[in-house]
Every structure is written in structure tokens, then in C-alpha cells.
Amino acid sequence: MRKAGIILFWAIVSFCVILLITLPINLQTQLIASLVVVTSMAVIKILRAEGKWRLIALAFGTAVVLRYVYWRTTSTLPPVNQLENFIPGFLLYLAEMYSVMMLALSLFVVAMPLPPRPSRAATEDNFPFVDVFVPTYNEEAGLLANTLAAAKGMDYPADKVTVWLLDDGGTLQKRTSTNLLEDQAAKVRYEELQSLCLDLGVNYLTRDRNEHAKAGNLNNGMKHSIGELIAVFDADHAPARDFLLETVGYFEDDPKLFLVQTPHFFLNPDPVERNLRTFERMPSENEMFYGIIQRGLDKWNASFFCGSAAVLRRQALDQTGGFSGLSITEDCETAIQLHANGWNSVYVDKPLIAGLQPATFASFIGQRSRWAQGMMQIMRFRFPLLKRGLSLPQRLCYMSSILFWLFPFPRAIFLFAPLCYLFLDLQIFTASGGEFLAYTLAYMLVNLMMQNYLYGAFRWPWISELYEYVQTVHLLPAVVSAIINPRKPSFKVTAKDESILVSRLSEISRPFFVIFGVLLLAFVVTIYRVYAEPYKADVTLVVGGWNLLNLVLAGCALGVVSERGERTATRRVKVSRRCEFGLDGQWYPATIDNVSVHGARVNVYAKNIPKLALDTRGEIRFKPHSGDGHEEILPVAIRNSEVAGDIVTLGCRYLPEVARHHSLVADLIFANSKQWTDFQLSRRGNPGLLRGTIWFFGLALYQTSRGLAYLFKGTGSRPEIAKEGAKT
């Protein structure tokens, strides 16, 4: 009886909604209704009303979106017998319907995400055995040393945790390769990493052949280990001391739990943030996923494995044959299979690892191409919507994550659609200027407001559009290739140990300047057509405004592909930690101001310190978080110095000589997870739609001029890149 009542209720609601969105009204009434809805949503947002009021505002917005969809479907498509108009017009319609579908899926996933889970420490007398896997392929020993030392230094019973370096760069296949250079490099790597692991007290493991990429490497690790739980960290993802304490306890609560996933926090900006200089003041792109979307997925038991910063239950993996390797995104594919087998997942919204992002725009695009192609493989091979064993919410959540990567198609259509009218005079959208104002402009405003409701402090206005545009140019052929031939893409490790020595144009920047030039020409054509065809000025101005918005995005992208040179190899992290600085046997009071994976900035109190030559040897003495409470010494080389009264500020490079020195470096950078949380919170502010739009347009204007300056100055596009560690 109760079920029948619920069905009847939703049937009545659905009927009322359909009646509302199909109600025939005149243009003036539609315009007034749109203004009322936009104003109501703005008032609710200004009053910061949450809970049911948030849902009411989203419901208002949804009504406008559905009304637009109905009008767009019934009144704006060109006649089918005019193929030159109908074909591009229908493609534009499909692109808009894709956007509406993704908005609907986003509303389902994140309209009311779970609040961050409370800390769940493991019971002291019930610590499970944990194997820590650090898979590696071509990363350098110095980078691996920091990650392994941090993993080894985690606050967990030493007899209950085993750290494994899973090396796919020193396999027997590589050490016996007919390629002499590959053969010798693999042999050197094999011996070097074996020695490093012996010094650090971790296990080194390789295999005979490089089969099934990262998934095969992880499965090989499973064959040689026995821990109840498996923690996975990428080679550049170093854990904080409390990583295991904050995660393994959840497995006590649920015997069917297969995954505890934590966010990926990065010490360095991605190329977009670095070139636009937004890293310190605006949330990173990945924070929308890890700060909101994963919590929304978690609500529906659909939070998935992200390849690193996670703990998995061995029993669950054994049941499905280990990590899935059919696609090049083994993480999401593995989670789909385990969810379908009835296992559960948990997302802990607290940064407990710190990693590195690609330094160059080309590497960034390479990484995103792999993600996009992997998701297309999953769509072809697994297709979650029809995957037996998944609940309906899980199917929708996975489809949302996969279908997102089709964005290059609609983004490209939105970019070039205005040009069909401005250059070719094609009528691909049959509507007057007044109808554009009442329907399309209202839809765009509501869409932006709904995104601001959903993602607010995690994603500022227009930033998603910028990230999608800069990826579209190169991701579009990659996605097409994966759809046509899903078995073709192969796993490629993303280079993250690079730094750019001098300012330059990216080696893949040319298409962005060509597109900008075309859009700029279209802007000139808009002005001409308004003057030459005043009887069509309303439509021309609307289409020209659309093109101008594309031009703003394209101009901002010129700044993205104009790579800024870096003074330091990696991002420094503020620590403010007391220490002593030793020089020629004399110890001075000091504080460590900030640290990076290669060096530290130390403020030393010294009235009569001698003038220091480059690479003068010194020592930092401090109490590590992990240890017996005694001070320990880390040798450094002085790279620069500044004197301000009695304070001498020294830029130092670490000189690790023994395994313990790597542990001390890891302790300085990675031990305290709270500093990462504090940094994230410091840049999470919602500027609002109006202020955020003004800020973005100002940013775009500046970045356009900067990109054109790089072009006209002839700044070289050949990559001048140094591996991490070349400088501090």
C-alpha cells in the first residue's frame, strides 16, 4: 500500500512538471518567469540558505532548464529538408542535450553529498596486516626514496606493515632487451633500486615481463605478499604519518568493504595553475572531484578507486582475480567489478598524501588523454549502465564519471557553431533575438547559478569551461581513436619529475593561436554584419556575443600554453618548524620556514655569520615526528643567502647520504597532513557568480596579451626541461 502511494505521488508530481514545462505562454510571460526564477535563486544564494532551500533553488533551476529543452526541441531545429542547416543544427542540439544530461547526472550525484566522514582510527589491539605497494616504471631513485621513506615512517606497528617497491623498469624483459640502451639502463636501475630498498628496509620486487602495465605490476605484488589489506601509492605520492591510522579502521565496521579512498593532494600546481598563477588563491581543478563529487559518489556507495592514496581488502581483490587490466584506467575498472560483486567502498575526505602533478602542458595533456581513453575503454568493455550486480544509483554514478570524458565533442561544437552563421550564413538555430533573451540567456544564467550552487567554493565561474577548452583541442582525436579502436590505447606513465628552465611556448600550442585568430576574425565579421545587415542585427549580436565568449576563453588559453619558467624545481610547503643550523661545528638557533622535496628555506639567528660560498656544507638539526624524541641531523648544501639584520635566510639543498636522511626529508615534508588541509581551506572561497565572472574576464584579458607577447617575441617552443633535482 505504501509503495503504491509513493508511485502515485511521483506520478502526480511528474504530470505537474510536464504540464508546467509544456505550458504555452507568450514571450513576455516567459521572460518574466525566467527573471523571477533567477531572482529567487539569487536571493536564496545570498541568504546562504542550505538544506531544503538548496534543493528548492535547484528545483527552480531545473524547471527553467526543462522549459528550455522543450522549447529547443519543438521550436528551434532547422527544417529537415534543408540539410546544410539541419545537420550542423542537429549536432548543436545534441551537444546541448549532452550538457543537460550531464547536469542531470551531476544533480543526482552531488545535490546533497555526504558530509566529510569523521576520523575512524583502528582499534589498538586489532591492527590488520598491511602491504604497502609503490608501483614504479621510470621514476628516479631520489623521488622514490622520499615516497618509500614516508611510507616506512607511517605511524603504525612496524611488525604489521610491509612496504614493497614494485619496479616495472627493471624487469628481466628489459634487462635482456635487444635494445642495448634499454638493457643497460634497466640493469643500472635494478641494482640502484635494490640497494636503495635495502638501505630503507623495504622490499624490492620486479617481474619477468611487463604485462598488463600497472595492473599486472600490482597483481605481481599480490602474489608475493600476504597482508589482509593493501595500500597503494603512486611513485610520487608520499603518505603522511597518519595515513593508515585514518583509513584501516573502516574495515572493522564493514566486512564487505573493499576500498577506502582518500583525495590526491598535490604540492605543485598543474600547468594551467602555474601559467595563470592561480595555485595559491584558487582551488585546484582536482578539488571539485575530490572535494564534492567523490562525497556525492560515496552517498550512493559508488566512490571508486583512483589508483593511489587508497587501501583495499585483499579478499575482495582475490575474488575478482586481482586488479583489472582490460583498460588503461585499471583503478576505476577494478572498482566497477568489485561493486558489481556486492562489495562496498568508503571515501575519506582528508588529504593524507602529497604528490606531484605534470609540470608541462604537453605532459598534462598526455595524462588527461590516458584518462579519457581509459574511460572510453571501460564504456566499451564494461558499460556500467547494463553491468549486472550494480545498483541503479551506482550505474548512474559510473555513467556520470565516464560520460564526462565525452566533453571534447560538445565543446568543439560550441566553439565552431557561431562561425556557421557568421561566415556561412547558415541558419542552424531558428530563433529571434527576443527568444534568445527569454530562453537561451535565462538557461545559461540558471546553468551557471546551478553550478555555483553545486560546486561553489570548489570551482570558480568559467574555470571548468577553460579546462575543458584547453583539453578539447588534443583530447578530441584521442577520444575518437579510443571509441573506434578501444584496444589500441596503451598505458603510458605520466612524466611528473620535470621542471621548465625558461619561459617558452608549449610545443603543442600552435592550434590555440590558429583558433584564436579565426575567432578574432569572426568578431570583426560580427561588427561588419551588424553594420551591413541592420535588419538581422538582433540575431547577429546574439551569435556575435556567443563568439565573443569563445574568444575570451581562447584568449585565456593562450596564457595557459605560454609556459612560465620556474626558479625552483618544486613547490615549497610552509612548515614553521624550530631547529638548529650547523656551520663549521658552530650551532645557531633557527627555524625551517618552508620545505620542498629537494630543499628547505631556513631562517638563522646569527650576528656574525661568515659570508657563505655557493654549495657550502651545513647541517639542520631538528626533532622528527617519527623517532624516539631525540634530535637528528640532515646535511645540506647552501645555495643562496639573504641577510636582514641578525637573521640570515638560507636556501638549502638536501644532501642525503644514508637511508635515515631520506626519512628525515620525508618527515619534514610529508609527516604532517594537517598542513595540506589548512592550505586547501585557505583558498576555498566562493567569489560568487558576478564577482567571479568579472575576475575571470580580467584574467583572460591579461593572459591573452601575455600569450600574444610570447608569440611575437619569438619565445621558442622547443622544450627546455630539467629533471627534478637539477636545481632547488
Side-chain angles (χ1 to χ4, degrees), residues 242-404:
D242 56 348
F243 180 88
L244 291 179
L245 294 182
E246 292 279 357
T247 53
V248 300
Y250 291 97
F251 290 92
E252 292 183 42
D253 301 333
D254 182 4
K256 292 296 291 181
L257 181 67
F258 85 88
L259 169 72
V260 175
Q261 178 67 55
T262 69
H264 294 184
F265 171 79
F266 298 103
L267 294 172
N268 66 319
D270 67 34
V272 179
E273 293 172 309
R274 188 191 72 249
N275 295 328
L276 300 186
R277 289 184 173 169
T278 60
F279 183 67
E280 306 287 350
R281 53 180 175 153
M282 184 184 74
S284 289
E285 184 224 10
N286 65 299
E287 284 190 53
M288 184 175 82
F289 176 72
Y290 287 110
I292 290 288
I293 295 176
Q294 274 281 38
R295 287 199 283 120
L297 297 173
D298 197 19
K299 178 180 181 179
W300 303 109
N301 189 27
S303 178
F304 59 84
F305 178 38
C306 297
S308 179
V311 185
L312 301 99
R313 192 188 296 271
R314 181 184 296 271
Q315 179 187 354
L317 291 167
D318 285 340
Q319 189 182 99
T320 57
F323 294 89
S324 300
L326 193 58
S327 74
I328 57 176
T329 47
E330 80 297 326
D331 40 19
C332 182
E333 184 188 349
T334 299
I336 290 175
Q337 191 60 45
L338 288 168
H339 273 135
N341 280 31
W343 292 89
N344 303 321
S345 62
V346 157
Y347 178 67
V348 177
D349 187 20
K350 180 179 181 181
L352 297 170
I353 64 97
L356 297 175
Q357 300 194 85
T360 68
F361 183 69
S363 295
F364 171 81
I365 292 297
Q367 179 193 64
R368 300 310 169 92
S369 295
R370 177 168 64 84
W371 293 355
Q373 290 183 319
M375 286 302 195
M376 294 304 100
Q377 288 178 311
I378 291 175
M379 184 172 68
R380 288 287 306 271
F381 296 141
R382 301 296 186 189
F383 200 60
L385 191 61
L386 302 179
K387 180 72 173 176
R388 181 177 299 176
L390 293 178
S391 66
L392 179 59
Q394 286 175 328
R395 297 177 191 216
L396 294 177
C397 287
Y398 274 114
M399 289 306 295
S400 175
S401 299
I402 291 171
L403 292 176
F404 164 79

Side-chain angles (χ1 to χ4, degrees), residues 632-645:
E632 298 190 52
I633 295 175
L634 176 64
V636 297
I638 298 173
R639 301 295 296 168
N640 55 71
S641 62
E642 297 177 7
V643 180

Side-chain angles (χ1 to χ4, degrees), residues 492-655:
K492 296 179 181 178
V493 177
T494 304
K496 299 173 187 173
D497 54 349
E498 302 171 327
S499 60
I500 299 173
L501 296 176
V502 296
S503 298
R504 63 178 180 85
L505 287 176
S506 171
E507 59 269 34
I508 58 173
S509 64
R510 181 173 298 176
F512 294 93
F513 287 93
V514 173
I515 293 172
F516 179 81
V518 172
L519 297 180
L520 185 61
L521 177 61
F523 176 71
V524 175
V525 171
T526 301
I527 298 174
Y528 168 77
R529 291 194 60 168
V530 169
Y531 173 77
E533 302 171 336
Y535 53 91
K536 295 195 295 186
D538 57 343
V539 175
T540 303
L541 286 173
V542 168
V543 179
W546 182 0
N547 177 74
L548 180 61
L549 183 58
N550 287 337
L551 183 63
V552 170
L553 285 171
C556 195
L558 300 187
V560 172
V561 299
S562 300
E563 308 265 31
R564 295 182 186 271
E566 296 178 312
R567 294 181 58 189
T568 58
T570 54
R571 178 65 49 173
R572 294 189 177 274
V573 180
K574 188 80 172 176
V575 292
S576 298
R577 193 162 170 179
R578 284 301 303 270
C579 68
E580 291 181 296
F581 190 82
L583 190 65
D584 296 328
Q586 180 71 36
W587 290 97
Y588 302 91
T591 58
I592 303 171
D593 184 51
N594 58 47
V595 294
S596 74
V597 295
H598 295 299
R601 180 183 176 92
V602 184
N603 295 322
V604 183
Y605 178 77
K607 293 184 177 180
N608 300 309
I609 194 169
K611 186 173 179 62
L612 303 173
L614 182 67
D615 285 334
T616 299
R617 184 183 174 88
E619 295 175 318
I620 301 175
R621 185 163 66 188
F622 64 97
K623 286 184 181 180
H625 292 292
S626 56
D628 56 8
H630 291 88
E631 293 182 332
E632 298 190 52
I633 295 175
L634 176 64
V636 297
I638 298 173
R639 301 295 296 168
N640 55 71
S641 62
E642 297 177 7
V643 180
D646 292 337
I647 299 296
V648 180
T649 300
L650 302 176
C652 304
R653 183 181 64 201
Y654 308 129
L655 297 176

Side-chain angles (χ1 to χ4, degrees), residues 405-423:
W405 290 100
L406 291 174
F407 73 79
F409 292 101
R411 183 58 58 189
I413 291 171
F414 292 149
L415 184 66
F416 293 109
L419 307 184
C420 292
Y421 174 80
L422 294 174
F423 287 147

